[in-house]
Amino acid sequence: MPKKRSGGGLSPTQQAAKFLGVSVLAGAVLAGIALPAVGALGLAAKGSVESFDELPVSLKTPPLSQRTTILDAEGGTIATVYSRDRTVVGLKDISPYMQKAIVAIEDSRFYQHGAVDLKGVLRALNKNARSGGVSEGASTLTQQYVKNVFVEEAGDDPTKVAQATQQTIGRKIRELKLAIQVEEELGKKKILENYLNITFFGQQAYGVEAASQRYFSKHAKDLNLQESALLAGLVQSPSRYDPVNDEAEATKRRNIVLQRMADVGDVSQADADKAKEEPLGLKVSRPKNGCITAVEGASFFCKYVEKVFLRDPVFGKTKEERAKVWNQGGLTIRTTLDPKAQKSVQASLKDHVNKSDSVAAATTLVEPGTGKIVAMGQSKPYGYGKNETEYNYSVDAAYGGSNYGFPTGSTFKPFVAAAALEQGVPATKEYSSPYDMAYPSPVQTCDSSPWVNTSGEKVENENESEVGPYRMKEAMEKSVNTYFVQMISDIGLCPVAGMTDKLHVRQGNGDKLPQTPSIALGSIGISPLTMASAYATFASRGMYCSPVAIESITQKVGNKQKSLEVPKSTCSRAMSEKTADSINTLLQGVVDSGTGQQAGLSDRDNAGKTGTTDERKNAWFVGYTPNMSGAVWVGSATQQVKMKNITIGGRYHSLVFGGAVPGPIWKDAMSGALAGKDAPSFNLVDIPDGDKDKDKDRDKGRGDEDDDGNGDGDGELIGGLIDGGTGNGGAFGDLFQGQGNGGNGNGGRRG
């Protein structure tokens, strides 16, 4: 029986196969030894290759994943996002010290040998055989680079990563042949450049530029001797030598690299010794990855941009293709976000609503005529902790919002008025507008099945003193429920459906609105972005422009830049200029003398509409100037909070009105966003109020809408309509449980 060696009875050749794998085989190939002679090492075994010459010789290097930078409209950074934090740089932008350090410690004969270092293999083989273990490796930088390419290609897929790093002879032989190809095609300098850009340095940093920024907050070209030695030493084991968590171990490893640099003649012994005495000199930049790090509360806008990218076919035909481009990164995305407007929105939300309040607020501003989203924020910050949320209350469910949006209350009434005006109904149209009435029946829909009030449901105004007749202007200012129910009965539901289609008004889940008369009262859940974009149509005199968040994108692949196509806003005429001008005149009256007085701007033309829904679960103000439109929603995301006897932002409200909480938020946000901008005028039309009984108490129904919520108007529950029927109803389910019981669509209030 042969004498066993300290390595466990394995012969030197077997140890080589186990410990060095392809390095020994490579040595055999380069030495001219016939490859079949090593068949005993398992080359012909199941799962390995049979012939070296039959191996494919094509290494398709994937583009290295890099960080993506999201910018505002002025070029300021909103956030950086990445699957791997990497910035690819050329060799000229990497310190010569760094280049020498990595070669010295990882492959000191890099410039003398080919893809395989035969001398290194034999040296390692001898040392490992004597020690009975793996005390020294023999992979060249080129072989390490090839292995890193496999790992990069595997991405974050654990199975693929395991396959790329499995310790089998078959894989090592493939690695060897590809290394030979790389040596022939790229040359030493390019291999070194690629290696320094692809390798992992710990602390989420891939590539030397990211590592230099992470540990020293400087560019790789500015690394000094001791800094370079530290980074070069990390490659062997980034976790073991992590200087952030184990300074002593990192210092020992750095000094080993410095000594190796002196041994191979890259630096003098004196310089190496001096560098060994220096402190590590860390100036750590903590990883800032993802939209959660966005500035000025723009995290939700940042996530919206990401969702747009992952959903829009312009970035790839399939979701897998789009995800691949996003994860590859290297993108510079210039967005439409106006930093001044965003700052104003966040300041206004902070002033009026606390993040710890039982309700939340969301605000979105868009630019009429272009569709550009200039600001998007909410009172509860982006995150996963207490009083934080990852749901974007401003957008539809497909883009990270609530499942259905939020009932809009009377902010829907201008859509009904626009539909009527487009049908030829005069702006002076008068309806009897009684205090209460049964929903008219039948009401024509777009198909052959009219809506029928089978249960005799009724609708009420705010109080018994609110009795018509009313004309359109006063009815809009005071948000008279029965007026707009009579109007929708008069013109039918199909014109309203046609108008909302042209305005791209959809439920938060993407569905079209149900054809029920109660939509006039805002019973359906819609997102603030949708409402702001629809109202922007009034501001732009009837031209609807789809919302856009991205101005341009460039992508860095390696060291090259290319531009990507981006989604464009599409504009189309939704109504005549006369109709839009009439709505502007009506809604200017709302902020001048109606329910929205607390939202009115004093320095420029402005218009808008208040809205408060059933049981005060939602309050809205949607308003605009000729050059900016904005929507503000206040409520509970789960639709469980009734805003009565409630404190919001440190201020007590017995009743919450659309004009008294969302209105001031809108006013402050718009004031800051528009500061210094032109103040164009509306093209107003003359809409007579008609003869009224001046002694009639018209204001009583509107309520005082003061900050304390006093006054009994603008909030009486609209009776009935909670059970059965079609539509979404006021019993609007929470984010996770659907839309509740429906009914004919109750949920709207006046104001």
Side-chain angles (χ1 to χ4, degrees):
M1 185 175 181
K3 185 177 180 180
K4 289 187 177 181
R5 303 179 61 85
S6 60
L10 299 178
S11 68
T13 307
Q14 289 172 318
Q15 288 186 40
K18 180 177 180 181
F19 299 133
L20 303 176
V22 74
S23 297
V24 171
L25 299 177
V29 172
L30 296 182
I33 301 173
L35 193 64
V38 295
L41 300 180
L43 292 182
K46 184 178 180 179
S48 61
V49 295
E50 296 183 354
S51 170
F52 188 81
D53 291 333
E54 292 175 4
L55 279 171
V57 61
S58 177
L59 180 67
K60 295 182 179 179
T61 306
L64 297 183
S65 58
Q66 302 186 63
R67 69 169 62 183
T68 284
T69 303
I70 300 176
L71 307 175
D72 62 32
E74 295 182 358
T77 298
I78 296 173
T80 56
V81 297
Y82 48 81
S83 58
R84 291 184 176 176
D85 187 11
R86 177 189 283 119
T87 301
V88 175
V89 293
L91 207 58
K92 64 180 178 59
D93 291 317
I94 301 173
S95 165
Y97 285 124
M98 186 67 217
Q99 298 177 41
K100 291 177 180 179
I102 200 71
V103 170
I105 197 62
E106 290 296 320
D107 186 1
S108 62
R109 299 185 66 256
F110 175 63
Y111 293 104
Q112 283 75 52
H113 60 67
V116 178
D117 182 8
L118 181 57
K119 184 181 291 187
V121 168
L122 296 176
R123 181 183 66 249
L125 171 61
N126 179 57
K127 188 170 183 179
N128 290 335
R130 285 190 283 107
S131 68
V134 182
S135 59
E136 184 170 325
S139 291
T140 63
L141 274 182
T142 307
Q143 289 171 274
Q144 292 182 48
Y145 167 64
V146 169
K147 181 179 178 180
N148 277 322
V149 168
F150 293 152
V151 173
E152 179 74 18
E153 200 167 30
D156 296 322
D157 187 320
T159 302
K160 291 182 178 180
V161 171
Q163 292 172 349
T165 56
Q166 61 183 338
Q167 296 299 311
T168 65
I169 296 223
R171 186 191 65 76
K172 287 181 175 293
I173 293 175
R174 290 186 178 90
E175 184 183 289
L176 161 64
K177 191 160 188 179
L178 292 170
I180 294 172
Q181 171 215 343
V182 168
E183 284 272 353
E184 292 174 350
E185 293 183 355
L186 298 184
K188 295 293 187 180
K189 287 188 176 180
K190 190 62 178 177
I191 291 170
L192 179 59
E193 176 185 300
N194 289 0
Y195 178 85
L196 285 168
N197 278 303
I198 200 172
T199 198
F200 180 53
F201 288 87
Q203 290 287 326
Q204 302 181 30
Y206 288 81
V208 67
E209 175 68 15
S212 183
Q213 293 287 356
R214 180 74 72 251
Y215 295 107
F216 300 111
S217 299
K218 61 169 60 175
H219 293 295
K221 65 181 180 180
D222 299 322
L223 291 168
N224 62 28
L225 173 58
Q226 57 266 26
E227 292 166 346
S228 298
L230 175 69
L231 295 187
L234 289 174
V235 172
Q236 185 182 90
S237 181
S239 57
R240 178 181 175 184
Y241 303 123
D242 182 357
V244 176
N245 295 309
D246 195 335
E247 184 174 337
E249 195 69 17
T251 302
K252 290 179 185 177
R253 180 62 179 168
R254 180 200 68 175
N255 291 348
I256 289 173
V257 177
L258 288 168
Q259 186 56 51
R260 183 61 177 163
M261 293 178 73
D263 292 344
V264 299
D266 286 334
V267 296
S268 69
Q269 186 63 56
D271 286 343
D273 290 341
K274 181 180 179 182
K276 290 177 189 178
E277 298 301 318
E278 295 292 334
L280 292 183
L282 298 179
K283 189 178 180 182
V284 177
S285 297
R286 295 293 179 184
K288 291 185 177 180
N289 181 23
C291 290
I292 197 170
T293 66
V295 300
E296 294 295 348
S299 295
F300 297 101
F301 176 79
C302 176
K303 290 298 292 185
Y304 178 75
V305 169
E306 179 182 338
K307 294 285 187 180
V308 168
F309 192 101
L310 294 174
R311 286 180 54 84
D312 200 300
V314 74
F315 299 116
K317 293 181 180 179
T318 67
K319 63 180 181 180
E320 290 79 14
E321 289 177 9
R322 297 189 290 270
K324 185 176 181 181
V325 176
W326 180 263
N327 291 330
Q328 179 186 321
L331 306 170
T332 299
I333 303 175
R334 193 163 188 133
T335 71
T336 58
L337 195 77
D338 180 338
K340 183 172 74 172
Q342 180 66 24
K343 186 175 182 179
S344 180
V345 162
Q346 284 304 122
S348 180
L349 288 166
K350 186 176 181 181
D351 285 346
H352 293 280
V353 185
N354 296 333
K355 67 179 183 178
S356 59
D357 287 343
S358 60
V359 294
T363 304
T364 298
L365 306 182
V366 301
E367 185 177 81
T370 67
K372 293 179 181 179
I373 303 170
V374 297
M376 181 182 288
Q378 61 193 52
S379 59
K380 292 191 183 297
Y382 185 89
Y384 311 99
K386 185 178 180 181
N387 297 318
E388 297 177 338
T389 181
E390 61 181 310
Y391 285 93
N392 184 349
Y393 302 142
S394 287
V395 301
D396 289 349
Y399 294 93
S402 69
N403 284 351
Y404 299 100
F406 305 106
T408 60
S410 294
T411 58
F412 194 91
K413 288 174 181 174
F415 304 149
V416 178
L421 293 170
E422 286 289 282
Q423 293 297 304
V425 174
T428 54
K429 179 67 176 178
E430 184 175 277
Y431 289 105
S432 61
S433 312
Y435 160 64
D436 65 354
M437 59 180 285
Y439 271 88
S441 178
V443 180
Q444 188 59 48
T445 63
C446 291
D447 55 34
S448 58
S449 301
W451 179 87
V452 179
N453 187 358
T454 58
S455 303
E457 273 90 356
K458 298 178 66 176
V459 59
E460 298 176 347
N461 292 331
E462 293 305 313
N463 54 57
E464 294 182 6
S465 66
E466 191 173 87
V467 179
Y470 288 105
R471 288 188 174 186
M472 192 182 298
K473 190 171 188 294
E474 188 177 11
M476 185 70 77
E477 290 175 5
K478 297 181 177 179
S479 202
V480 179
N481 293 326
T482 56
Y483 180 94
F484 288 95
V485 168
Q486 285 184 304
M487 174 175 278
I488 210 169
S489 172
D490 189 10
I491 65 174
L493 287 160
C494 201
V496 178
M499 177 56 63
T500 55
D501 282 349
K502 291 177 182 178
L503 294 172
H504 294 254
V505 174
R506 295 285 188 273
Q507 298 181 62
N509 63 359
D511 291 348
K512 287 191 174 185
L513 307 184
Q515 293 186 41
T516 60
S518 61
I519 62 171
L521 308 180
S523 60
I524 309 304
I526 300 171
S527 72
L529 175 58
T530 296
M531 293 298 289
S533 298
Y535 271 54
T537 307
F538 303 141
S540 59
R541 304 192 73 195
M543 291 298 293
Y544 171 83
C545 295
S546 59
V548 290
I550 300 173
E551 292 266 30
S552 65
I553 298 180
T554 58
Q555 184 177 30
K556 187 178 181 184
V557 181
N559 292 316
K560 297 181 179 179
Q561 295 270 8
K562 67 175 182 178
S563 296
L564 301 185
E565 185 181 355
V566 299
K568 303 294 184 182
S569 177
T570 56
C571 298
S572 58
R573 181 154 292 283
M575 66 191 72
S576 69
E577 288 187 351
K578 181 180 178 181
T579 293
D581 292 344
S582 297
I583 295 295
N584 295 339
T585 304
L586 294 170
L587 296 188
Q588 188 175 68
V590 173
V591 297
D592 284 347
S593 57
T595 59
Q597 292 180 60
Q598 293 185 63
L601 304 175
S602 60
D603 62 339
R604 60 185 68 233
D605 277 7
N606 63 113
K609 186 70 184 76
T610 58
T612 312
T613 69
D614 200 27
E615 298 185 287
R616 300 187 182 275
K617 291 180 179 178
N618 302 274
W620 288 76
F621 186 85
V622 188
Y624 54 94
T625 68
N627 53 351
M628 191 171 290
S629 176
V632 178
W633 163 82
V634 177
S636 162
T638 59
Q639 297 289 280
Q640 299 300 308
V641 179
K642 300 174 183 179
M643 291 184 285
K644 302 175 183 179
N645 298 315
I646 189 173
T647 298
I648 302 175
R651 304 178 73 182
Y652 173 77
H653 301 267
S654 59
L655 297 171
V656 167
F657 303 98
V661 180
I665 295 174
W666 182 89
K667 180 177 183 178
D668 291 350
M670 292 284 283
S671 296
L674 289 168
K677 293 185 181 293
D678 292 338
S681 300
F682 289 129
N683 292 277
L684 300 177
V685 297
D686 182 30
I687 304 178
D689 285 341
D691 294 331
K692 303 186 186 77
D693 180 355
K694 300 300 183 182
D695 296 327
K696 203 169 191 178
D697 185 8
R698 299 286 192 179
D699 295 327
K700 194 173 181 181
R702 175 162 55 85
D704 295 334
E705 288 206 351
D706 62 22
D707 290 335
D708 293 324
N710 295 325
D712 55 3
D714 200 15
E716 289 291 330
L717 189 66
I718 297 172
L721 304 182
I722 293 181
D723 298 318
T726 60
N728 295 323
F732 214 81
D734 64 24
L735 287 166
F736 313 105
Q737 297 177 353
Q739 287 180 271
N741 296 324
N744 286 315
N746 188 33
R749 291 177 180 273
R750 57 88 51 88

